[in-house]
Amino acid sequence: MAMIDIGKKEVTLREAIVEARVYLKAGVIKLIKNKKIPKGDVLEAARIAGILAAKKTAELIPFCHPIPIEYVDIKVSLKNKEVEIKTTVRGRAKTGVEMEAFTACAVAALTVYDMCKAFDREAVIKSIMLLKKSGGKSGTYIRKA
């Protein structure tokens, strides 16, 4: 096992967009919407937790390079029976920012679960997936619908 040598790679602008969904009972979605979850504002807490997680990715994932992150945006929205999380991470580096986007999205989803578990033990975190990546030698990838 080893960290990949990226010494000869070019620094390019990298971007990754990752999405996750947390499925909850409709009643819990209503509690979130009305800010009635005792721990606080679920959507804002998830957003902040995700941003912090993106910045700590290299400390959590053994073979990730520590890279400069220039931008993290986390959009957390309520749907009928789910919380949708979309994370965008950007930075100029020799390697991609996908793992930072995945980590941010996963931790944001875990934060939603943590804050809502007392009201819905059947909550499910599902569909954490890369929607788009760009930059670097391999170019742009966009998930097909």
Side-chain angles (χ1 to χ4, degrees):
M1 289 187 267
M3 191 177 238
I4 299 296
D5 182 358
I6 60 170
K8 294 180 182 176
K9 292 176 91 177
E10 294 291 321
V11 172
T12 62
L13 179 62
R14 314 286 184 133
E15 180 180 73
I17 302 171
V18 172
E19 177 185 272
R21 295 176 185 273
V22 183
Y23 294 89
L24 298 159
K25 294 175 183 171
V28 178
I29 296 293
K30 187 175 179 182
L31 290 172
I32 295 169
K33 185 177 185 177
N34 294 324
K35 299 187 183 197
K36 299 288 186 186
I37 298 291
K39 289 186 176 185
D41 185 333
V42 174
L43 305 184
E44 190 61 19
R47 198 177 71 72
I48 292 167
I51 290 169
L52 291 171
K55 295 169 23 174
K56 298 225 176 249
T57 299
E59 295 173 36
L60 299 169
I61 310 296
F63 302 111
C64 278
H65 293 83
I67 59 173
I69 295 172
E70 297 175 12
Y71 177 78
V72 178
D73 181 54
I74 301 181
K75 293 188 178 5
V76 186
S77 58
L78 297 174
K79 305 295 182 192
N80 186 30
K81 288 189 178 180
E82 66 191 63
V83 177
E84 181 184 84
I85 302 161
K86 277 195 183 172
T87 302
T88 302
V89 177
R90 251 185 257 132
R92 286 175 182 78
K94 292 183 175 192
T95 190
V97 294
E98 296 98 305
M99 293 310 298
E100 288 73 12
F102 269 106
T103 302
C105 216
V107 170
L110 288 167
T111 300
V112 171
Y113 180 90
D114 176 58
M115 294 183 76
C116 298
K117 67 187 177 201
F119 301 97
D120 187 357
R121 292 284 182 189
E122 294 180 6
V124 176
I125 297 172
K126 200 170 184 178
S127 305
I128 299 177
M129 66 180 121
L130 179 67
L131 298 180
K132 179 184 176 188
K133 76 157 242 34
S134 62
K137 191 169 108 178
S138 64
T140 299
Y141 163 81
I142 298 172
R143 179 175 295 281
K144 295 178 183 163

